[in-house]
Amino acid sequence: MMYSNNQIMDVDEEENKSFGKSLIFVLSLENIKKSFKDYAIYFLTIVLGVAIFYMFNSLDTQEAMLKVSESTRQIVKLMVEMLGYISVFVSIILGLLIVYANSFLINRRKKEFGIYMLLGMGKGQISKIIILETIFIGIISLFVGLLIRSICFTVYVYISFKIISSKYGKL
């Protein structure tokens, strides 16, 4: 069977695209491993942000808070409303912190990106690497943050239940 030059070039382009995608994926993972110390601060920031954010947002579902007297329930409602505003404020601060940390990491890696460009990578491919790295770190941070939040929230619920039950009797 004879192939024309156009058919051969189409096959080569498809192979290069799939190879390029897998190369970008592998480079992203390797960059995270190599730059682990740099990513540690970014990772911890996101983990703590997720833990604090979800802890604030789950206070109103606490059983002990729902079983208090009517006057105390009004105070709890006000507290939950205030925590909602604090949660928005914390979200804005964390968003700014994540943007700052991301730009800090990109500035630290300018030479690495320059080498990639010298080797023939385009800006789009380098952007894909950065986006994949950010997604990987974000997903791992989300799971670790939720785990930490679950542990801290369980301790918080236990302590607050003890305080409320000692003050207002058995619930």
Side-chain angles (χ1 to χ4, degrees), residues 109-135:
R109 297 174 60 195
K110 277 185 179 179
K111 289 181 183 177
E112 178 184 341
F113 297 142
I115 291 171
Y116 287 157
M117 291 181 91
L118 281 173
L119 293 173
M121 275 191 169
K123 289 180 181 179
Q125 290 172 319
I126 293 173
S127 295
K128 287 178 187 176
I129 290 172
I130 294 169
I131 290 169
L132 278 174
E133 290 173 6
T134 304
I135 289 171

Side-chain angles (χ1 to χ4, degrees), residues 62-69 72 76 156-171:
Q62 191 183 111
E63 284 289 322
M65 297 291 192
L66 299 175
K67 294 182 178 180
V68 294
S69 67
T72 309
V76 169
Y156 171 76
V157 167
Y158 177 76
I159 291 170
S160 64
F161 183 75
K162 288 292 186 183
I163 290 170
I164 290 173
S165 64
S166 69
K167 187 170 183 169
Y168 296 104
K170 280 202 164 184
L171 297 175

Side-chain angles (χ1 to χ4, degrees), residues 6-152:
N6 288 341
Q7 290 173 328
I8 293 172
M9 291 185 76
D10 288 342
V11 172
D12 287 343
E13 285 178 23
E14 288 176 23
E15 287 178 5
N16 284 341
K17 285 181 183 178
S18 65
F19 178 73
K21 288 179 183 178
S22 63
L23 180 65
I24 288 173
F25 184 80
V26 170
L27 272 174
S28 298
L29 290 176
E30 289 300 317
N31 285 340
I32 291 171
K33 290 177 189 175
K34 183 181 72 177
S35 304
F36 186 74
K37 288 180 182 177
D38 293 336
Y39 275 110
I41 295 171
Y42 184 64
F43 177 75
L44 289 175
T45 301
I46 296 175
V47 165
L48 289 175
V50 167
I52 290 169
F53 183 76
Y54 281 105
M55 205 156 119
F56 275 156
N57 288 326
S58 57
L59 286 176
D60 59 341
T61 61
Q62 191 183 111
E63 284 289 322
M65 297 291 192
L66 299 175
K67 294 182 178 180
V68 294
S69 67
E70 187 63 36
S71 62
T72 309
R73 191 172 296 135
Q74 294 299 324
I75 295 170
V76 169
K77 229 181 217 182
L78 180 64
M79 182 183 77
V80 168
E81 188 176 318
M82 290 301 293
L83 285 175
Y85 294 123
I86 292 171
S87 181
V88 169
F89 177 72
V90 167
S91 299
I92 291 170
I93 296 298
L94 284 173
L96 293 173
L97 192 59
I98 288 169
V99 168
Y100 172 76
N102 222 357
S103 65
F104 172 75
L105 287 172
I106 289 171
N107 282 334
R108 280 192 81 150
R109 297 174 60 195
K110 277 185 179 179
K111 289 181 183 177
E112 178 184 341
F113 297 142
I115 291 171
Y116 287 157
M117 291 181 91
L118 281 173
L119 293 173
M121 275 191 169
K123 289 180 181 179
Q125 290 172 319
I126 293 173
S127 295
K128 287 178 187 176
I129 290 172
I130 294 169
I131 290 169
L132 278 174
E133 290 173 6
T134 304
I135 289 171
F136 291 146
I137 295 292
I139 289 171
I140 294 168
S141 300
L142 177 66
F143 287 119
V144 173
L146 288 175
L147 178 69
I148 290 172
R149 174 252 174 214
S150 297
I151 293 167
C152 292

